[in-house]
Amino acid sequence: MGDDFSPADALAAVQAQRDKLAEDAASPRGYHLILALAAGVLIASPFWDSLWVVAVVYVAFFLILWGLVTWYKRAKGMWINGLDQRPARVYSATAGAIGGGGFAASLVAEWFLHLHGASLVLAVIAVPTMTWLGYRWDAAYEQELRESA
């Protein structure tokens, strides 16, 4: 380091690296929509009143999750757990609760309460909500990276 390098320059360099990391950590384009659509199909699956349909969709859902994680790792060179000890986890936990709760609610509504079509309504609500929560997670995580001490 030369004599020209001031503490302000060092702080600016650190902030530039934080900004780069924040941009690099953002989810790949379409990631949240694909995840939400997969969850929507899972939530809607009891509509067909077939255990086989639900089982196949359930397995496909977890294969899609695996594919999304693999895609993220390859695109970004890392994997960020959405449920770690960061304030942004509220968004991923909420989306997970909507997906899991929506699936459970659709099973109960269709198979036990015989409210035919309820699973489709739940899926139509879940997909945009989960997509929005995914993008909110990205924004919150990016802000955390930019502002971390």
Side-chain angles (χ1 to χ4, degrees):
M1 282 198 241
D3 295 327
D4 317 349
F5 200 71
S6 70
D9 293 336
L11 290 173
V14 168
Q15 187 60 48
Q17 286 301 310
R18 284 184 184 155
D19 292 344
K20 183 179 180 329
L21 178 62
E23 290 169 14
D24 289 348
S27 301
R29 189 174 191 88
Y31 178 91
H32 298 298
L33 179 60
I34 293 168
L35 178 56
L37 286 170
V41 171
L42 179 64
I43 291 168
S45 65
F47 174 79
W48 285 273
D49 200 24
S50 167
L51 185 58
W52 284 106
V53 169
V54 172
V56 168
V57 171
Y58 192 80
V59 169
F61 174 75
F62 282 99
L63 288 173
I64 290 167
L65 286 182
W66 173 80
L68 285 170
V69 169
T70 302
W71 176 34
Y72 192 107
K73 285 179 178 178
R74 286 185 183 160
K76 301 300 179 176
M78 64 182 149
W79 170 249
I80 299 168
N81 179 358
L83 296 175
D84 61 4
Q85 295 301 313
R86 298 183 177 278
R89 76 175 178 262
V90 156
Y91 296 109
S92 52
T94 303
I98 290 170
F103 178 58
S106 70
L107 284 170
V108 170
E110 293 282 352
W111 292 1
F112 299 105
L113 300 177
H114 305 291
L115 299 172
H116 193 63
S119 60
L120 299 179
V121 172
L122 291 169
V124 166
I125 294 167
V127 170
T129 304
M130 290 178 69
T131 303
W132 178 80
L133 286 166
Y135 287 113
R136 289 301 316 137
W137 183 89
D138 270 348
Y141 188 68
E142 181 178 332
Q143 182 180 358
E144 289 172 25
L145 289 174
R146 290 181 193 279
E147 296 174 359
S148 63

